[in-house]
Amino acid sequence: MFFVSVLRNALCILVPLSFLLSSYLYLYPAFHLCAFPAPEETPKSAFLNTLRQHTFSSHNASKIAPFRLLTLGDPQLEGESSIPDAEAATFPHFSKFWQDAFLLNGTKHNPLQRLRHSLHDLIDFYLDDIPKALEVYRKRLDHIGNDYYLGHIYRTLHWWTDPSHVTVLGDLVGSQWIDDAEFEQRGWRYWNRVFRGGVRVSEEVASQPAEDFQNAIILGDDVAMWKKRIINVAGNHDIGYAGDLSPERMARFTRVFGKANYELRFQLPLNSTAVANSSQEIAEGKSDSEEDVEVADGESEDIEYKPVPELRIIVLNDMNLDTPASSKELQDETYEFLNKVITTSHDVTRPAHFTLVLTHIPMYKQAGICVDGPFFDFFDGDFDNGVREQNHLSADASKGFLEGIYGMSGDAWQPGHGFGRHGLVLNGHDHEGCDVYHYINQSEPPERYWKAARWADAEAGGYDEEVGVVGLREVTVRSMMGDFGGNAGLLSLWFDEETWDWRFEFVNCKLGPQHIWWVVHILDLITVGVGIAYAGFLLAPKINGNPDSPGAGKKSLQRKKAKGTIHGESPSSIGSTVLNS
């Protein structure tokens, strides 16, 4: 049959095409050579080591960083409130037609008025309700597809790269102005579609800064649970800027996604006697500068002091760092938390310590360095004239980050010569992403101030190695939304025992726009549909005994022979009878 031939030829095209595109979609990290950076390894070697984890070849576990953070930015889940004319899906004009036609609403009209109103309602139903309803259902389908597109990024990278921890850097939902019911609905989609299997960081784990911090976690303990935990950061679309941030919005964010301000501390497993003894000294309250360590035989040796390697993660709500703020109470809470972070920090001269800040709004930088330049807008007459919108933190707030949390300074006479603590800042907000180096030159005149440069330029110019230049890297992770390419950041952090300090590398992994996800799955459905139709056409004749099926010709011949007999005798037998007579 012609139609069967068409289906067969279509399958010859669809099957290999679907296979190739589906292979890309579900193995895209492999196609893009995505892998967490590895200690002392090139990107190619790190990828091959990751590839070996998914094959029968053995991989080198020593070349895998102990802390691997999958960073995702700004998913911004949309919902019903983002759909214009959502009520059109209920066909209001069609409902009004029945009311006007049968006077169900109690209105009294003469027959001519009833006819006129009813016809008008039907015209509105066809020309207004139906087109708008189709658009509403299209948007709802788009939201469902977007959820699974974002979830595909998370699950595929989680499977391929095997992160030890995961964070989402704010703007988990698309608007702070939605009501509580829709916020809960978007929260349900967040946990059951996008990050299915993930859990928020519980209040028991999310600690507050303290002088005698007792909740340090050994890096590598409870591995399975940490892979499930999602470290959520509050963004402007979750709780609002300083002007519209309210206790009610903060409460619902905390209830659905977890705390907005807390810290986590991780310590590496101790591998040397010197480290173990130092750890014991710290527990006993001995001085950080003590270098003599007691050995087992009671004698004393001069051993280089090696403090315990420690990673401090600070999850910070920076939405209300700048003023004015409509809720002074919430702003005071943020300031109090930030002050505790500063006052409970280790001495800036302590080695083997790394401070990682996870927040949403990037630090201040001059226009032209990133896509988003400095910008502030304020409410006029509402919300105590608070901050309505901002692209960056103010210069003063950013200075507080660098000089407060990290203890850096433009003055060489400050503790640690002003070089501060080793660390990194990760944030979102600027959907295009950016990689920046903030620095200050101690050799400049007294009115020196903090500057910023793109990391590629700073690295090429040797800013980070220049004498007297103090600096910190800030990575703004490009959005995981389809319009920006479905990105994710891969941060590796490992400890260098030769320098007795932490080292890190950050790379980006990109899927592509959301249309890829749609095209592949629609093509797969078409392929399956054509395959089922083709199989049906092949099997139907055999099931129904169609004459075109195998053996049909033999049966037809038998029927013809049967028709050629007369009273059970064949024509030849009749002829022979006549001749004999």
Side-chain angles (χ1 to χ4, degrees), residues 193-208:
R193 287 184 188 166
V194 181
F195 296 100
R196 186 174 66 243
V199 296
R200 64 177 188 152
V201 178
S202 64
E203 293 188 5
E204 294 75 17
V205 177
S207 303
Q208 293 299 302

Side-chain angles (χ1 to χ4, degrees), residues 100-101 109-121:
D100 290 336
H109 292 304
N110 60 47
L112 184 60
Q113 288 176 319
R114 290 171 63 182
L115 178 62
R116 181 169 61 85
H117 285 292
S118 299
L119 288 176
H120 190 275
D121 292 336

Side-chain angles (χ1 to χ4, degrees), residues 464-539:
D464 56 329
E465 297 178 356
E466 189 174 338
V467 177
V469 174
V470 178
L472 181 76
R473 189 174 171 187
E474 174 198 32
V475 177
T476 299
V477 179
R478 187 175 170 89
S479 173
M480 70 183 299
M481 288 188 287
D483 290 343
F484 298 91
N487 298 271
L490 306 177
L491 172 68
S492 288
L493 191 64
W494 65 90
F495 193 75
D496 187 341
E497 295 193 16
E498 292 185 3
T499 61
W500 207 252
D501 211 345
W502 292 90
R503 295 181 61 188
F504 73 91
E505 288 291 341
F506 179 90
V507 295
N508 189 70
C509 186
K510 179 178 180 180
L511 165 60
Q514 69 271 36
H515 308 101
I516 295 175
W517 187 92
W518 281 107
V519 168
V520 171
H521 286 95
I522 290 173
L523 184 64
D524 287 347
L525 287 175
I526 293 173
T527 303
V528 171
V530 172
I532 292 174
Y534 179 68
F537 275 101
L538 291 180
L539 295 176

